[in-house]
Amino acid sequence: PVAVKRLLAHFHELARAELQTLIASDEHPNILRCFAMEEDADFVYVALERCVSALASVVDGGAMGTGLDLANKEGRDAFDLVNPATRRPTPEGMTLMRDVCEGLHALHCRGIVHRDLKPQNVLLDTEGLVRISDMGLTADITKGPIKQCSGTRGYWSPETIKKEPYSTEPDWWSLGVTAFVLFS
């Protein structure tokens, strides 16, 4: 089974850029796998690894997707990201965030800045493993600093807001905001 992302044909270049980014980095266990891209006169279709939910579902109770009980189909016990008694991150929550860090580091090692890291773009597969997704706004930082603003408001770094040149800083800022959203 795969997930199919369908884009209007005039987003062909965006889809091709996302596909190239995924191909360059999808051997990493914390990056979403891409299997194929096809197009017709109206749409571009990208076949992606199928995941069960996004981390955003933890925060919003499932409004962003199928809901997330953090248990797999094989009956693994559900777990919390935050201990309800202490309000501190659980070991499972810390493992998920560590996996996001590893995926982000893998992108940066390949000269790729994500530019839209947020809980909606961090998916969990059927085993509960983290996959960073939605590579449509990535940029190549090997060619020098980036100046254009992109991503989601609320996750923008100070460099992005000030329109200053940046490299990986916005991703690390967005990671911190994501951790705050998940653990607060």
Side-chain angles (χ1 to χ4, degrees):
V2 298
V4 177
K5 183 175 186 175
R6 183 176 78 166
L7 301 165
L8 292 171
H10 71 271
F11 290 113
H12 171 79
E13 289 307 314
L14 179 68
R16 186 162 302 287
E18 182 171 5
L19 180 68
Q20 289 173 345
T21 300
L22 286 168
I23 289 170
S25 57
D26 77 352
E27 76 279 354
H28 192 276
N30 299 120
I31 305 294
L32 190 69
R33 300 277 333 249
C34 179
F35 300 112
M37 183 175 108
E38 295 290 331
E39 54 191 294
D40 61 24
D42 299 317
F43 297 101
V44 175
Y45 305 91
V46 182
L48 301 165
E49 177 180 13
R50 188 163 182 240
C51 291
V52 295
S53 196
L55 285 184
S57 296
V58 173
V59 177
D60 66 17
M64 290 301 298
T66 60
L68 183 63
D69 63 6
L70 296 174
N72 68 21
K73 293 180 180 182
E74 285 73 40
R76 182 183 68 205
D77 291 335
F79 61 89
D80 294 317
L81 294 177
V82 176
N83 181 316
T86 65
R87 300 297 306 150
R88 297 182 73 183
T90 62
E92 295 88 355
M94 293 302 291
T95 297
L96 290 177
M97 285 308 298
R98 181 205 62 215
D99 291 348
V100 175
C101 291
E102 288 182 7
L104 197 56
H105 179 70
L107 288 173
H108 293 170
C109 287
R110 289 164 178 80
I112 299 166
V113 61
H114 189 280
R115 302 195 311 166
D116 198 23
L117 188 69
K118 57 186 177 182
Q120 292 86 344
N121 291 339
V122 178
L123 306 180
L124 295 174
D125 70 9
T126 57
E127 302 298 318
L129 300 174
V130 166
R131 302 287 193 260
I132 296 177
S133 69
D134 200 355
M135 305 292 179
L137 296 178
T138 60
D140 182 352
I141 55 176
T142 63
K143 298 175 182 175
I146 300 157
K147 296 180 183 174
Q148 65 197 87
C149 183
S150 66
T152 302
R153 283 187 176 197
Y155 293 86
W156 286 351
S157 69
E159 297 84 3
T160 304
I161 293 168
K162 294 177 187 176
K163 298 184 173 144
E164 295 175 351
Y166 61 85
S167 62
T168 61
E169 296 90 350
D171 283 352
W172 295 116
W173 179 273
S174 297
L175 176 71
V177 175
T178 298
F180 177 79
V181 166
L182 293 175
F183 294 142
S184 60

